[in-house]
């Protein structure tokens, strides 16, 4: 019997959203396992980095969205998400790194520093768990992650500075997408998936959602990068 593919995830993690999109694009059937509320401690034990996503596939356990993407590209190559051309590949890798290492922190910032957004995160993050766990997430989760944001650096800037910088970057992305369907070459690549996964999560919880919709090229392109399905278990 063929083994089930299992994605260990948080529904609102942009990196988990990125892996879901890759699995969907490659038509790989999978089940999700969520680590909401107090299960966060269990999530940390799944890999040496202690982060999600983690994917169980073909008897292997793979951690990190980039490692997962590399594995899936090699094993399921009928829908390629990496261009053959090496220059395009390089641009794709730079976009992916920008999404994972820079845009991600904007998503984090907009969730942690705005009460309304954090309330939504606490709700998503404690779905299916006893209600007292939501209180823990709401308070201690916020304190802990704010420390990460300060250590990374972006947490030391004011809301107006971070919003202005983010909207500037969206404007630049908008320019980049002018008369183009995809960020790199003429088909969807990991660059689109990585960047769109971050932006979709920012839109999910951020007060900036209506400002973001002013960037028409980005909006159009985001529609092409929606998740095909949103599986729950
Ligand atoms: N480089 C990793 C980053 C994954 C990551 O940062 N995941 C977050 C969730 S969005 C996480 O696990 N955070 C928990 C922690 O840092 O302890 C990847 O691409 O998968």
């Amino acid at each position: 019997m063929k083994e089930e593919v299992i994605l260990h995830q948080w529904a609102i993690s942009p990196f988990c959203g990125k892996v879901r999109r890759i699995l969907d694009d490659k038509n790989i059937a999978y089940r999700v396992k969520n680590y909401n509320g107090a299960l966060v401690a269990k999530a940390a034990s799944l890999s040496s980095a202690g982060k999600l996503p983690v994917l169980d596939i073909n008897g292997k356990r793979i951690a990190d969205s980039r490692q997962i993407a590399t594995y899936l590209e090699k094993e399921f190559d009928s829908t390629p998400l990496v261009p053959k051309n090496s220059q395009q590949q390089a641009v794709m890798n730079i976009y992916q790194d920008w999404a994972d290492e820079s845009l991600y922190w904007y998503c984090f910032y907009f969730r942690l520093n705005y009460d309304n957004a954090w309330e939504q995160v606490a709700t998503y993050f404690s779905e299916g768990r006893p209600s007292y766990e939501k209180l823990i997430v709401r308070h201690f989760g916020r304190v802990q992650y704010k420390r990460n944001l300060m250590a990374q650096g972006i947490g030391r800037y004011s809301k107006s500075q971070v919003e202005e910088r983010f909207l500037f970057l969206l404007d630049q992305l908008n320019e980049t997408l002018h008369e183009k369907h995809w960020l790199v070459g003429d088909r969807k690549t990991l660059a689109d998936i990585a960047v769109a996964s971050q932006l979709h999560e920012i839109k999910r919880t951020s007060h900036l959602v209506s400002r973001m919709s002013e960037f028409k090229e980005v909006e159009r392109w985001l529609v092409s990068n929606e998740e095909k399905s949103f599986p729950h278990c």
Side-chain angles (χ1 to χ4, degrees):
M1 201 177 72
K2 229 179 152 215
E3 227 183 293
E4 230 183 345
V5 177
I6 300 176
L7 172 63
H8 303 269
Q9 69 150 17
W10 289 297
I12 59 165
S13 152
F15 297 104
C16 298
K18 175 179 163 190
V19 173
R20 289 195 303 269
R21 284 178 174 80
I22 299 171
L23 290 166
D24 286 344
D25 279 342
K26 289 184 175 288
N27 283 315
I28 303 169
Y30 64 100
R31 187 166 75 79
V32 296
K33 200 163 173 209
N34 288 308
Y35 288 80
N36 292 346
L39 295 179
V40 68
K42 223 169 158 196
S45 69
L46 295 177
S47 70
S48 57
K51 293 178 179 250
L52 295 183
V54 167
L55 188 72
D56 289 341
I57 187 165
N58 295 339
K60 294 183 204 309
R61 172 159 285 179
I62 310 169
D64 194 289
S65 66
R66 274 183 251 190
Q67 301 292 339
I68 295 169
T70 304
Y71 178 81
L72 295 178
E73 191 65 17
K74 194 160 144 260
E75 299 294 319
F76 301 84
D77 56 3
S78 57
T79 320
L81 292 169
V82 174
K84 296 266 176 288
N85 175 291
S86 61
Q87 195 171 22
Q88 288 182 355
Q89 236 179 68
V91 179
M92 182 202 78
N93 283 326
I94 289 169
Y95 268 120
Q96 189 171 206
D97 200 71
W98 174 60
D100 293 1
E101 307 299 336
S102 173
L103 263 186
Y104 171 59
W105 293 99
Y106 287 88
C107 184
F108 223 78
Y109 187 101
F110 295 142
R111 285 181 168 172
L112 278 162
N113 285 308
Y114 297 80
D115 292 343
N116 198 23
W118 187 250
E119 188 55 35
Q120 291 181 64
V121 170
T123 302
Y124 279 117
F125 208 76
S126 39
E127 211 174 84
R129 302 296 303 167
S131 52
Y132 69 86
E133 290 186 12
K134 181 171 179 182
L135 303 177
I136 298 172
V137 170
R138 192 193 274 138
H139 180 68
F140 293 104
R142 197 174 195 181
V143 170
Q144 153 139 19
Y145 286 121
K146 270 197 172 180
R147 265 192 228 125
N148 295 0
L149 213 53
M150 292 300 276
Q152 191 274 346
I154 193 173
R156 302 174 201 190
Y157 291 89
S158 71
K159 287 178 179 172
S160 59
Q161 282 172 313
V162 176
E163 283 180 14
E164 191 186 326
R165 185 75 200 164
F166 174 69
L167 292 170
F168 168 73
L169 289 169
L170 267 196
D171 180 57
Q172 299 298 283
L173 194 61
N174 208 55
E175 277 303 311
T176 308
L177 285 165
H178 193 67
E179 291 182 359
K180 269 178 75 180
H181 269 300
W182 308 108
L183 289 174
V184 183
D186 56 8
R187 60 191 301 170
K188 187 193 278 189
T189 68
L190 290 176
D192 301 289
I193 293 178
V195 176
S197 299
Q198 297 293 339
L199 292 181
H200 273 293
E201 284 308 326
I202 293 177
K203 285 185 88 170
R204 193 203 286 269
T205 48
S206 170
H207 65 295
L208 288 173
V209 66
S210 64
R211 297 290 310 275
M212 289 173 78
S213 66
E214 291 165 18
F215 298 92
K216 297 298 175 206
E217 305 295 340
V218 175
E219 280 291 292
R220 169 189 55 75
W221 164 85
L222 275 176
V223 172
S224 316
N225 285 284
E226 298 263 15
E227 269 186 80
K228 285 199 185 111
S229 57
F230 189 72
H232 286 276
C233 69

